[in-house]
Amino acid sequence: MNTWETSIFQHINSKSGEECCGLLAKQGENTIFFPCKNHAEDKNNNFLISPDDWIEIEDKANIIGIVHSHPKGGLKMSEGDIKKCVALDYPFYLFSVEKQDYRIFYPKEYK
């Protein structure tokens, strides 16, 4: 398992019942997970990365993907997840706390 994968699993497993989110980015040759605070009103069923978090991370590294978790269930994107994936045009790394697994979804899959 890669270091960034381990970091994401540690982060999502430390939260209880809410969706976690963050950005995956490259700094030089390194891929790094930057956890972000979930600013969604309903954190149990949604996530929202603040523009301030995005800008701060973008100043440090080259963003390559959006990470979020589903505390319950498998690796199926919700309608809202699909809309965000297409609108933002970044791969979505969906992690399942329940399954302890992840899958990458690409915007082109939904266009």
Side-chain angles (χ1 to χ4, degrees), residues 16-84:
S16 178
E18 68 180 51
E19 289 196 14
C20 296
C21 57
L23 297 170
L24 199 59
K26 293 286 267 183
Q27 280 184 325
E29 296 296 314
N30 300 318
T31 301
I32 301 168
F33 169 60
F34 292 92
C36 297
K37 183 179 180 202
N38 184 350
H39 291 272
E41 285 186 32
D42 179 7
K43 293 174 179 50
N44 294 331
N45 297 300
N46 204 354
F47 78 97
L48 178 64
I49 297 173
S50 84
D52 292 338
D53 288 344
W54 191 288
I55 290 166
E56 181 182 331
I57 294 163
E58 196 170 47
D59 285 345
K60 298 180 200 175
N62 181 30
I63 297 169
I64 60 170
I66 297 165
V67 174
H68 85 286
S69 67
H70 285 174
K72 295 186 179 173
L75 297 167
K76 185 172 187 313
M77 295 268 276
S78 70
E79 287 295 320
D81 293 341
I82 292 168
K83 287 178 183 176
K84 288 177 194 172

